[in-house]
Amino acid sequence: MSTDSKKPATQKATTNTQAEDTAKTGIRLRDYQQQAVDAAVRYFRAQSGSAVIVLPTGAGKSLVIAELARIAKGKVLVLTHVKELVAQNAEKVALLTDEASIYSAGLRQKLTQGKTVVASVQSAGRNLEAFDSHYSLVVIDECHRVSLEQDGQYQQLLEHLKSHNPKLKLLGLTATPYRLGLGFIYRRHYHGRVGNPDRGIFDDCIFELPLRPLIKQGYLTPPRLYDGLSAQYDFSSLPSNSNGEYDEAKVDALLSHSGRATKAIVNQLRQLANTRKGVIIFAATVRHAEEVLTLLADEQAALITATTEMQQRDAIIRAFKAQELKFLVNVAVLTTGFDAPHVDLIAIMRPTASVSLFQQMVGRGLRLAEGKQDCLVIDYAASGFDLFYPEVGTPKPAANSVPVQVPCPECGFANIFWGKTDEDGDIIEHFGRRCQGLLQDNSQCSYRYRAKSCPDCGAENDIAAKICHQCQSTLVDPDKRLKEVLSKQHHHLFKVQQMLLHAEEGRLRVQYLDYDGNDFNQYFKMETSAQRRALFACFIHPHSKTPGLKLPKYSQPQQLVDDAARFRAPDMLLLKKQARRWDLLQSFFDYQGRFQTEKSFLGSSNLA
């Protein structure tokens, strides 16, 4: 946590009080650190909710925590999950105010008498009776680790503290306010958008600072990010779980056939390390890490895993920080709570579907150090993440997806969704469902880009909803309905492989092809305004890849044929046989269910 005397030209003048505090401590908060503190003070003066501050790795969260502890009128508890962060936060508190009490079995201290107590959640959670005092503020460092489970250590401890002070204030700090499987960890964002209104752990994000300004202002080291330069692993065939993690046995099985790639990667890292001071390697599995360490046998290298004994781990980290070791190989250990500013080469050799984890790994190399010009980051796992992407709040739907800005046609809010762009940067597809804007009454904008209608009241619901938000009716499970309909005669489930558009005799023909070459066709005339409105309702609107964005006014079939790339095909069509034709009963978009791959419904049938 740097306390540079250097400050950017944009920094505001400090108040007299701040100047006096600087004279006493010799430390001046950076402009954004003071802004984060001020945001917390304003928030808790106005309301009693829980809040989140988002600062990139290396931005100095510990100093923000220390300043809040200094100005707090009551007793403060600072919680985190690793002893390294306990020690780091206690050190910064001591720089700004009275020495903090430390409660951590790993640090062999269990004290709570001070105004500020810095504790590991594991130690505190096992000794709730030691925290019977009246605390006014709880600050959680790395708060993205807090879960919703009521039997979790954080939640149990917070409930215990609230039993002694129902008005307890709760503040979280993190660089990555998002969890795979959960989404954003807050309900609302101060920029006027929703986060995770249904499952947010905290109420409000009250301050957020992107990475790029800190690099531009000289507070963090510029990263130079490259894909694997000599070789890469291809983990694309492996599925990840809801937390963005991969099955270790499957990863090992894939890596067992990648020996040449591992050898080429390590040889390259050895060459690059000749001009680097410290190298951290994130390996995929323990077996993989041991293989890497073997290939580094004649280098100053060591390995840390979750099973490394604590004394040995501490000794390895001390040696690495003292630059007695050049390479430090680890497996899911050094992503948080590890501070070695001299690190200037990061090698990512493990898969992850989590942009948060990716940012945490890269963050290990972004701290400032004397003589350090940049940090070389090589992604040998082809993760495809960009460090400067804004967090979208949902998993990346495809490897080539990027964040795109989609204005809401109702409230005008500029949403950030996953999407795809062409070479000119124009949006060709987005995957947004509902506007994320907050209205003046603090409610979420009701506009939905993609929705399914309730058959009882007609209200639009999220495409994955099971209960109508308007009338509380149970929305029919598509699999249940398909099973019932397909049990009747004269119904067919048409699995769409391709959709083609044709201009024929003044009308538009939409041709759907299935996996056996059968086709089903829809026809639309475009001569009158009523026919064009029907075309929009039945085809253009439901098939658009960019719902909510303004489309051209189509007056001729050939215009739609020329714009065919703007429209997406449905996954399936439910058809019913009439005397001389098949009628379309329903189109299924974004379908995920048992009929998608069930061969009994993908067989051939004559749809002529």
Side-chain angles (χ1 to χ4, degrees), residues 264-483:
I265 289 169
V266 173
N267 284 339
Q268 182 183 68
L269 290 174
R270 291 169 61 153
Q271 293 174 3
L272 293 170
N274 289 331
T275 57
R276 298 283 156 174
K277 293 183 177 180
V279 183
I280 293 182
I281 298 174
F282 290 94
T285 67
V286 173
R287 194 168 87 178
H288 181 224
E290 291 170 344
E291 180 187 3
V292 171
L293 189 65
T294 299
L295 293 169
L296 291 169
D298 56 346
E299 299 281 356
Q300 296 171 313
L303 168 63
I304 294 179
T305 71
T307 60
T308 304
E309 292 185 1
M310 194 59 67
Q311 288 184 336
Q312 182 185 5
R313 169 178 163 164
D314 291 345
I316 290 173
I317 289 177
R318 282 196 302 271
F320 182 72
K321 288 183 176 181
Q323 299 185 41
E324 297 167 5
L325 295 172
K326 187 69 166 282
F327 295 85
L328 186 51
V329 186
N330 80 104
V331 183
V333 173
L334 303 179
T335 52
T336 58
F338 177 75
D339 183 4
H342 74 286
V343 171
D344 53 4
L345 174 53
I346 301 285
I348 299 174
M349 299 172 66
R350 57 156 294 172
T352 180
S354 168
V355 65
S356 297
L357 178 57
F358 184 82
Q359 291 173 342
Q360 288 165 357
M361 290 188 287
V362 174
R364 300 309 105 199
L366 299 188
R367 298 183 188 276
L368 300 176
E370 186 177 351
K372 184 175 173 182
Q373 300 298 316
D374 58 30
C375 179
L376 183 60
V377 181
I378 309 180
D379 181 10
Y380 292 105
S383 304
F385 293 119
D386 185 322
L387 275 176
F388 302 108
Y389 277 171
E391 187 62 81
V392 176
T394 56
K396 196 174 185 178
N400 59 345
S401 299
V402 296
V404 297
Q405 189 175 90
V406 182
C408 174
E410 283 194 2
C411 73
F413 180 77
N415 293 279
I416 301 295
F417 296 135
W418 287 116
K420 297 179 182 179
T421 60
D422 60 19
E423 294 179 353
D424 297 324
D426 294 327
I427 300 173
I428 57 175
E429 185 171 11
H430 77 76
F431 303 101
R433 293 186 182 181
R434 182 178 177 182
C435 175
Q436 301 297 293
L438 284 173
L439 304 179
Q440 289 186 347
D441 62 359
N442 226 22
S443 64
Q444 184 177 359
C445 175
S446 62
Y447 183 79
R448 295 183 186 274
Y449 295 89
R450 293 183 172 92
K452 63 179 177 183
S453 298
C454 173
D456 293 334
C457 71
E460 288 190 336
N461 293 271
D462 184 78
I463 58 176
K466 295 182 178 179
I467 302 293
C468 175
H469 72 93
Q470 188 73 33
C471 69
Q472 304 303 307
S473 294
T474 299
L475 300 176
V476 178
D477 184 334
D479 280 355
K480 182 178 180 181
R481 179 168 186 267
L482 284 171
K483 185 177 179 180

Side-chain angles (χ1 to χ4, degrees), residues 16 36 49 96 148 153 169 207 376 457 495 518 535 546 549 604:
N16 290 335
L96 294 187
L148 286 169
Q153 288 181 312
K169 309 293 187 185
F207 186 83
L376 183 60
C457 71
K495 178 69 186 298
N518 300 303
L535 169 70
T546 56
L549 295 182
S604 62

